[in-house]
C-alpha cells in the first residue's frame, strides 16, 4: 500500500474546476434563496402568485438546494483529496459542465413548460404532468436530473478508482486493512480519504437507484402501456434523494478535518474509533431512507423498523467523532480564529442542531403527525443552511486566503452574525409552523399559519443579503493562478497568514 503521507501539488486546472464549482454553487444558492422568500411571502399573504408558479418554484427550490450543496461539497472534497490521491482535473470539469447543462434543463422544465412535481418527482407524477402540460417539461426535468447524476457518477468513479489504486483496494480507503489486522499501522488513511471513500460508495449506489427510476419514468412517458411498480419506484426515488442529499455534508466535512487541523497545527488522525464510525455511517446511510416511508402501510414492518432504529444510530458515529474531534483539535491549540476556521466550527453546531429534529421526526408515532408539516423543512434547513452551506462558505474564505492572500474584514464578521441569527429565525419559524400543524408543500395557508410564514420570509431576506455579501467577497478576491503548492507549503502559508490576521 502506498504511504498515506505522500502528497501531490494542486494544479491550476484543479483550482479552475474548484472555483467553477463554487461559483455555480454560490449563484444557485442565491437564486434558490430568492425563490424560498417568494414562496414564504406568498404563503404569508404578502404577495400573490399562481399555484402553478408556486409549485414550479417549489420543485426548483428543493432540487436546486441539493444540487448547490453537492457542487459545493464536491469542490471541498476534491480540493483536499487531490493532495493525497492524484486525480484528473478534467473529470472535475466534466462534472461541472454536465451539472450546468442539467441545471439549465431543470429551469427550462419548470419555468418554460410548467413542470411542478416537487424535487422528488414521484412516479407516476411525471407522466401525469406530461399529459397535463405536455411531454417536454417532464422530459427536460428528468433528463436534467440524469445529466447531473451522470456528472457526479463519473467523478465518483474517478475518485474510487484512484483511491483503490493508491491504497490497495477501495475498502482500504475506509481503513479495513488496519481494522482487520492486515496492516501494522496505528492510523488509517487521511480523514479526507476516509470520508471520500464513504461518499463514493453511498452516492454511486444512490445515483444508480435514481437513474433506474428516471429511465423507467421516461419510458413510461414515451409509452404509457409500460408501467412500473409505484412502491418500488418510491423506494428507488428516496434511496436516491435521501442518500444524495445526506452525502452533501459528508463531502463538505472534509473541510472541517483539513482546515481546523491546519489552523491548530495538529493532525486529524484516523484512529480505529474514527474508522469504525465512518464504516458504520456508510452502512447506515444506505439503509435509513426508509424513514421517508413510515406512513406507507404497504411497506413491510421490518423495513419501517430499520428506518426508525438506524435513523437514530446514523446521526451518532460520524457526527460524534467529528464534533468531539473538532473540540479536541482546537482545545488549547492557540488557534487564531478567522472567517474560515470560525465558520467551520459553527457548522458543527448546524450539523448537530439539524440532526435533533430529524431524529425526532424519524420516530414512527411522531412521523405520522409531523412528517407532512413544516417541521421537516425546519430540520432540513438547519442541516443544510447552518451545516453544509456554512462549510461551503467557510471553504470559500479559506480558499481565497490560501490561494489569494485575502484578509478578513469586519464586514465579513457582521455578515456572518446576520446570517446565523436570522437563519435561526427562519428555521425557528419552520419548526413552530410544524408545531401548529402548518402543512408543507401548500401554496395557500390559513390565516393562523401566516405569521410564521412572514417571520420566516423576513428572516430569509437578511440571510439572502448576508449570502450575497459572502459571494461578492469571494468573487472579488478569487484567484487560481498561484503556483501549485504541496501540503507542507500550504500549511506554512496558512500559518503565516493567520499570524498576519488581526
Amino acid at each position: 500500500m502506498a504511504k498515506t503521507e505522500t502528497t501531490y501539488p494542486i494544479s491550476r486546472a484543479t483550482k479552475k474546476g474548484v472555483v467553477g464549482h463554487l461559483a455555480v454553487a454560490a449563484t444557485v444558492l442565491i437564486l434558490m434563496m430568492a425563490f424560498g422568500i417568494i414562496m414564504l411571502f406568498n404563503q404569508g399573504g404578502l404577495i400573490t402568485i399562481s399555484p402553478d408558479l408556486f409549485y414550479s418554484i417549489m420543485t426548483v427550490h428543493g432540487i436546486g438546494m441539493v444540487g448547490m450543496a453537492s457542487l459545493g461539497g464536491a469542490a471541498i472534497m476534491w480540493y483536499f483529496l487531490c493532495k493525497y490521491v492524484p486525480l484528473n482535473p478534467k473529470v472535475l470539469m466534466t462534472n461541472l459542465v454536465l451539472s450546468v447543462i442539467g441545471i439549465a434543463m431543470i429551469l427550462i422544465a419548470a419555468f418554460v413548460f410548467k413542470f411542478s412535481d416537487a424535487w422528488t418527482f414521484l412516479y407516476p407524477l411525471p407522466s401525469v404532468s406530461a399529459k397535463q402540460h405536455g411531454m417536454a417539461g417532464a422530459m427536460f426535468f428528468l433528463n436534467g436530473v440524469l445529466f447531473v447524476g451522470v456528472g457526479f457518477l463519473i467523478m465518483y468513479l474517478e475518485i474510487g478508482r484512484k483511491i483503490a489504486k493508491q491504497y490497495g483496494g477501495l475498502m482500504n480507503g475506509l481503513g479495513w486493512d488496519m481494522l482487520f489486522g492486515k496492516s501494522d499501522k496505528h492510523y488509517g488513511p487521511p480523514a479526507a480519504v476516509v470520508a471520500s471513500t464513504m461518499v463514493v460508495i453511498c452516492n454511486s449506489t444512490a445515483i444508480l437507484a435514481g437513474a433506474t427510476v428516471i429511465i423507467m419514468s421516461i419510458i413510461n412517458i414515451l409509452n404509457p402501456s409500460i408501467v412500473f411498480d409505484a412502491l418500488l419506484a418510491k423506494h428507488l426515488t428516496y434511496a436516491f434523494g435521501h442518500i444524495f442529499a445526506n452525502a452533501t455534508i459528508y463531502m463538505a466535512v472534509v473541510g472541517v478535518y483539513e482546515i481546523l487541523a491546519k489552523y491548530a497545527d495538529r493532525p486529524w488522525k484516523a484512529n480505529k474509533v474514527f474508522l469504525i464510525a465512518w464504516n458504520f455511517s456508510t452502512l447506515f446511510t444506505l439503509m435509513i431512507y426508509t424513514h421517508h416511508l413510515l406512513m406507507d402501510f404497504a411497506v413491510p414492518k421490518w423495513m419501517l423498523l430499520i428506518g426508525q432504529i438506524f435513523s437514530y444510530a446514523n446521526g451518532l458515529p460520524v457526527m460524534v467523532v467529528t464534533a468531539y474531534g473538532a473540540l479536541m483539535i482546537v482545545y488549547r491549540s492557540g488557534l487564531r480564529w478567522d472567517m474560515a476556521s470560525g465558520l467551520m466550527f459553527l457548522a458543527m453546531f448546524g450539523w448537530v442542531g439539524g440532526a435533533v429534529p430529524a431524529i425526532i421526526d424519524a420516530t414512527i408515532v411522531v412521523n405520522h403527525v409531523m412528517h407532512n408539516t413544516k417541521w421537516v423543512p425546519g430540520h432540513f434547513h438547519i442541516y443544510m443552511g447552518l451545516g453544509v452551506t456554512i462549510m461551503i462558505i467557510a471553504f470559500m474564505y479559506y480558499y481565497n486566503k490560501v490561494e489569494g492572500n485575502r484578509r478578513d474584514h469586519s464586514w465579513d464578521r457582521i455578515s456572518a452574525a446576520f446570517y446565523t441569527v436570522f437563519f435561526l429565525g427562519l428555521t425557528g419559524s419552520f419548526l413552530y409552523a410544524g408545531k401548529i400543524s402548518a402543512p408543507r408543500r401548500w401554496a395557500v395557508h390559513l390565516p393562523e399559519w401566516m405569521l410564521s410564514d412572514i417571520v420566516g420570509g423576513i428572516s430569509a431576506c437578511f440571510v439572502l443579503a448576508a449570502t450575497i455579501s459572502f459571494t461578492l467577497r469571494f468573487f472579488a478576491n478569487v484567484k487560481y493562478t498561484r503556483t501549485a503548492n504541496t501540503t507542507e507549503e500550504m500549511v506554512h502559508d496558512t500559518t503565516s497568514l493567520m499570524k498576519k490576521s488581526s
Side-chain angles (χ1 to χ4, degrees):
M1 185 179 75
K3 292 183 179 180
T4 57
E5 292 80 9
T6 302
T7 57
Y8 302 90
I10 301 175
S11 68
R12 184 172 183 270
T14 294
K15 294 174 185 178
K16 276 188 173 183
V18 168
V19 169
H21 276 69
L22 292 175
V24 174
T27 303
V28 172
L29 175 61
I30 290 171
L31 182 61
M32 295 306 111
M33 283 184 172
F35 285 163
I37 292 170
I38 291 171
M39 287 191 292
L40 285 169
F41 282 164
N42 180 76
Q43 291 173 329
L46 297 183
I47 63 173
T48 301
I49 60 176
S50 69
D52 282 348
L53 179 57
F54 178 92
Y55 292 118
S56 291
I57 290 175
M58 184 188 76
T59 300
V60 172
H61 177 80
I63 201 162
M65 282 301 190
V66 174
M68 175 281 301
S70 299
L71 287 168
I76 297 171
M77 181 177 69
W78 188 282
Y79 180 82
F80 289 114
L81 180 63
C82 70
K83 296 187 301 179
Y84 307 107
V85 180
L87 300 174
N88 186 348
K90 292 181 180 179
V91 174
L92 182 64
M93 193 58 72
T94 299
N95 178 55
L96 179 62
V97 171
L98 291 175
S99 294
V100 170
I101 293 172
I103 291 168
M105 294 175 71
I106 290 169
L107 291 172
I108 291 171
F111 298 118
V112 176
F113 298 106
K114 299 182 180 180
F115 184 85
S116 57
D117 291 355
W119 80 273
T120 49
F121 55 91
L122 284 176
Y123 172 88
L125 288 179
S127 178
V128 174
S129 178
K131 294 173 183 176
Q132 182 177 357
H133 297 294
M135 187 184 298
M139 296 297 283
F140 264 100
F141 183 88
L142 294 174
N143 281 284
V145 177
L146 201 57
F147 263 84
V148 175
V150 169
F152 273 90
L153 184 60
I154 292 172
M155 184 185 73
Y156 293 137
L157 290 175
E158 164 69 4
I159 293 172
R161 182 175 70 89
K162 292 296 180 64
I163 289 177
K165 181 178 180 180
Q166 184 92 348
Y167 294 95
L170 183 61
M171 301 315 296
N172 287 342
L174 285 173
W176 279 28
D177 53 343
M178 193 187 88
L179 291 175
F180 295 106
K182 296 180 180 180
S183 171
D184 57 358
K185 292 181 178 295
H186 297 291
Y187 299 101
V193 174
V194 176
S196 299
T197 304
M198 180 268 195
V199 171
V200 166
I201 293 170
C202 291
N203 264 5
S204 297
T205 304
I207 291 169
L208 292 175
T212 300
V213 72
I214 288 171
I215 291 171
M216 286 304 300
S217 293
I218 291 173
I219 292 172
N220 175 251
I221 292 170
L222 295 174
N223 187 350
S225 65
I226 300 177
V227 296
F228 194 27
D229 183 86
L231 187 58
L232 175 59
K234 187 172 183 179
H235 275 262
L236 290 171
T237 301
Y238 278 106
F240 161 62
H242 183 269
I243 295 172
F244 198 82
N246 206 8
T248 58
I249 204 160
Y250 296 125
M251 291 190 285
V253 79
V254 172
V256 175
Y257 296 144
E258 291 285 327
I259 293 173
L260 290 183
K262 285 179 176 59
Y263 273 53
D265 198 21
R266 293 175 177 175
W268 197 306
K269 296 179 179 179
N271 56 26
K272 286 190 175 181
V273 174
F274 182 88
L275 294 174
I276 290 171
W278 273 98
N279 275 271
F280 272 118
S281 189
T282 303
L283 177 63
F284 294 165
T285 299
L286 291 169
M287 297 165 57
I288 63 169
Y289 77 88
T290 48
H291 71 225
H292 286 281
L293 310 173
L294 294 179
M295 291 189 289
D296 293 334
F297 63 89
V299 177
K301 286 186 177 180
W302 64 268
M303 295 193 75
L304 302 182
L305 291 174
I306 286 176
Q308 177 169 347
I309 295 171
F310 289 100
S311 290
Y312 291 162
N314 185 57
L316 297 178
V318 169
M319 189 168 59
V320 169
V321 299
T322 301
Y324 178 77
L327 290 171
M328 293 301 99
I329 283 287
V330 304
Y331 180 67
R332 290 190 173 183
S333 66
L335 179 150
R336 185 182 293 277
W337 296 99
D338 67 358
M339 287 295 294
S341 58
L343 289 176
M344 277 297 179
F345 205 77
L346 172 65
M348 292 291 92
F349 162 76
W351 191 3
V352 174
V356 173
I359 291 173
I360 293 172
D361 182 63
T363 306
I364 292 177
V365 293
V366 176
N367 188 275
H368 284 172
V369 178
M370 302 292 288
H371 193 72
N372 281 332
T373 71
K374 277 197 167 184
W375 181 272
V376 171
H379 93 72
F380 195 70
H381 277 73
I382 298 173
Y383 175 89
M384 292 291 285
L386 289 177
V388 183
T389 304
I390 287 290
M391 290 179 185
I392 295 169
I393 294 170
F395 176 70
M396 291 163 68
Y397 276 94
Y398 172 82
Y399 181 91
N400 274 356
K401 175 163 283 191
V402 172
E403 303 294 347
N405 293 330
R406 181 202 55 78
R407 296 185 181 182
D408 293 341
H409 189 274
S410 58
W411 183 252
D412 297 316
R413 293 185 285 274
I414 294 172
S415 297
F418 267 70
Y419 183 99
T420 304
V421 170
F422 285 102
F423 209 97
L424 289 172
L426 171 64
T427 54
S429 74
F430 281 141
L431 295 176
Y432 176 77
K435 174 183 176 296
I436 61 175
S437 299
R440 60 185 174 126
R441 298 175 178 163
W442 281 25
V444 180
H445 277 186
L446 297 175
E448 53 265 36
W449 301 331
M450 288 183 174
L451 179 59
S452 63
D453 300 325
I454 295 171
V455 171
I458 293 173
S459 298
C461 288
F462 287 96
V463 172
L464 175 59
T467 304
I468 292 173
S469 173
F470 296 142
T471 303
L472 292 176
R473 290 281 288 159
F474 174 71
F475 284 136
N477 295 280
V478 69
K479 293 180 181 179
Y480 50 77
T481 56
R482 195 176 178 187
T483 55
N485 293 334
T486 63
T487 304
E488 290 77 12
E489 289 171 338
M490 289 183 66
V491 172
H492 178 268
D493 291 348
T494 305
T495 303
S496 299
L497 286 165
M498 286 189 296
K499 289 179 179 178
K500 294 176 183 178
S501 298
S502 58

